[in-house]
Amino acid sequence: MIEIVSDNIISPLGFSTEENFQNVLNFKSGLKISDGIFSLDGNFCLSAIDWNLLDLEFENFFSKSPSQYLKLEKALLLTVGKAIKNIDVTDFRTGFFFSSTKGNIELLDKNQFSDSRLNLWYTAKMISSFFNNPNIPIVISNACVSGLCAIISACRAISSGMIDKAVVFGGDILTKFTLSGFSSLKALSNKPCRPFDIERNGLNLGEAVSAMVLKKTDSENYIAGSIRQDAYHISSPSKTAEGAFNALQEVLKNIDKNNIAFISAHGTATIFNDEMEATAISKAELSEVPICALKGYFGHTLGAAGLLETILSYYALNKGVILKTLGFEDLGVSKKIKVTTKNDTTDKQYFVKLISGFGGVNAAAVFKKKN
């Protein structure tokens, strides 16, 4: 059995899980309109970390200057440092799992194509070595499902007996490359995103990092996880939701659906993804389960999304809270699903995390409330 023993979120809404949760509870969003960012034409609605504040937090926490580190590196060091505070991670029975879609891609904007720090394995090793972990870290880079896949991979490693404890960490930052890419797909909205809403017209990008510590124990917080590939299209989700539905079916086999408090959906606010998720949820006979999507608070944080949203959802579950889907008003998908319009209370025991990504990859996991 596996327990979530510690976690941390760094985002524009705060540098701890508690701070992020309180801001979400009060409907505060990190999304803002930015004009001419990275010298790109047009307005972009996005969620960006205050890097001056992060530098101060880094210095206060580690008592050292962050000047030698790139943006993503210092953010990852800080969130992992906070998550593992008072936890020994220096033994061979502790594994490090890193999720990211782009890593230190800011180096490309500086034409530093040969810099070894561009490699995800380099970033992962730098973080684990900083905290004196002797193992080779595992890198999970699987589009937008990377964060949840990293959690599932870490849990499988613990369940198999390979390790006793895992530090899962991940994130992505905003860059010209990323904004240009999503803009070329016509996937970005210049207004705050509206998951599952009839007026939705695209996603907002955001930057965040998160970390979670998992441990083999008598308690059981992680119940099941599944990763499924439908290979439908490089960027468009399956219209039949085959992959997402199969992932849900796998993790729900031994779960009482009546005891599910809510589904933490991917909810990108794009026309096709929201429709696909609604189809998968309907096919899995979960239409009456509340659905919460957090992109209206953080934007789409790419490699951090599955991790951040799992941590915050788990935190909410243990507080007995179902969070509002910010930006949602009127249902804009063909299936009748129950998207949250306000904060609510719950005494149920489980939540389901559902996520999808480019290339037809889908993942789902079930987590249980603390005893």
Side-chain angles (χ1 to χ4, degrees):
M1 293 185 288
I2 299 169
E3 181 182 6
I4 301 169
V5 295
S6 181
D7 54 62
N8 189 74
I9 295 171
I10 290 177
S11 82
L13 293 184
F15 294 162
S16 69
T17 302
E18 172 65 22
E19 189 178 3
N20 276 274
F21 176 75
Q22 289 300 327
N23 279 320
V24 169
L25 201 62
N26 292 310
F27 314 130
K28 183 176 180 180
S29 174
L31 293 170
K32 295 181 180 179
I33 306 296
S34 296
D35 184 18
I37 187 171
F38 302 123
S39 300
L40 294 171
D41 293 333
N43 294 328
F44 293 91
C45 185
L46 46 82
S47 178
I49 290 172
D50 186 326
W51 292 99
N52 290 324
L53 283 179
L54 188 134
D55 284 349
L56 290 173
E57 186 81 3
F58 187 100
E59 285 195 68
N60 290 334
F61 190 83
F62 290 114
S63 298
K64 64 184 297 183
S65 171
S67 59
Q68 65 179 298
Y69 301 106
L70 296 172
K71 283 183 175 180
L72 181 61
E73 293 169 351
K74 58 190 175 186
L76 289 170
L77 286 170
L78 183 57
T79 200
V80 172
K82 289 189 171 192
I84 67 171
K85 192 175 182 181
N86 304 319
I87 298 174
D88 181 17
V89 296
T90 61
D91 61 292
F92 281 99
R93 299 293 296 171
T94 299
F96 273 57
F97 295 76
F98 173 45
S99 71
S100 182
T101 68
K102 303 294 186 292
N104 286 324
I105 198 171
E106 64 175 295
L107 291 172
L108 294 183
D109 294 338
K110 302 172 184 176
N111 295 318
Q112 297 181 31
F113 296 96
S114 62
D115 196 321
S116 60
R117 293 164 92 176
L118 270 170
N119 297 303
L120 293 177
W121 64 261
Y122 187 99
T123 305
K125 185 60 179 174
M126 187 272 288
I127 302 296
S128 63
S129 296
F130 183 92
F131 296 106
N132 299 313
N133 183 265
N135 294 319
I136 297 173
I138 303 298
V139 175
I140 309 293
S141 186
N142 199 1
C144 302
V145 304
S146 299
L148 188 58
C149 285
I151 295 172
I152 294 171
S153 298
C155 290
R156 288 174 177 174
I158 294 172
S159 296
S160 70
M162 294 173 62
I163 55 176
D164 296 323
K165 193 160 64 248
V167 180
V168 183
F169 62 103
D172 277 297
I173 62 170
L174 295 170
T175 66
K176 183 177 182 179
F177 178 92
T178 311
L179 276 171
S180 299
F182 277 91
S183 181
S184 70
L185 292 172
K186 310 297 183 185
L188 296 180
S189 172
N190 60 2
K191 299 177 182 179
C193 65
R194 306 184 65 171
F196 300 104
D197 192 85
I198 188 67
E199 298 293 333
R200 73 189 187 280
N201 68 343
L203 60 82
N204 309 132
L205 290 175
E207 55 188 0
V209 294
S210 300
M212 172 189 290
V213 181
L214 299 150
K215 184 180 180 181
K216 185 177 182 179
T217 179
D218 291 336
S219 299
E220 188 172 30
N221 302 147
Y222 169 84
I223 302 300
S226 177
I227 304 166
R228 291 291 182 268
Q229 170 63 258
D230 58 42
Y232 175 75
H233 190 272
I234 193 170
S235 60
S236 178
S238 166
K239 295 177 182 179
T240 61
E242 179 184 358
F245 170 67
N246 287 339
L248 280 173
Q249 284 286 86
E250 180 67 23
V251 300
L252 294 173
K253 286 191 299 186
N254 300 309
I255 299 298
D256 178 6
K257 293 180 181 179
N258 294 319
N259 207 8
I260 298 174
F262 59 90
I263 299 167
S264 173
H266 194 31
T268 60
T270 55
I271 297 297
F272 298 119
N273 182 87
D274 287 8
E275 179 68 24
M276 180 276 291
E277 278 199 290
T279 299
I281 290 166
S282 178
K283 287 174 69 173
E285 300 180 346
L286 297 173
S287 296
E288 293 302 313
V289 177
I291 296 169
C292 170
L294 297 172
K295 298 294 190 296
Y297 301 96
F298 301 99
H300 190 349
T301 56
L302 303 179
L307 188 53
L308 181 157
E309 293 165 11
T310 295
I311 291 171
L312 203 63
S313 297
Y314 180 67
Y315 199 87
L317 181 71
N318 284 297
K319 295 283 188 180
V321 174
I322 303 173
L323 295 169
K324 173 183 176 178
T325 299
L326 195 63
F328 173 81
E329 293 181 7
D330 299 310
L331 192 65
V333 292
S334 64
K335 308 300 180 183
K336 291 184 179 181
I337 55 174
K338 193 176 179 181
V339 184
T340 57
T341 57
K342 62 178 181 178
N343 291 339
D344 209 343
T345 58
T346 182
D347 59 359
K348 295 184 178 182
Q349 297 296 304
Y350 303 103
F351 85 86
V352 176
K353 178 61 196 156
L354 182 62
I355 197 164
S356 60
F358 285 172
V361 69
N362 304 269
V366 175
F367 298 84
K368 185 180 180 182
K369 192 174 184 177
K370 289 181 181 178
N371 294 331

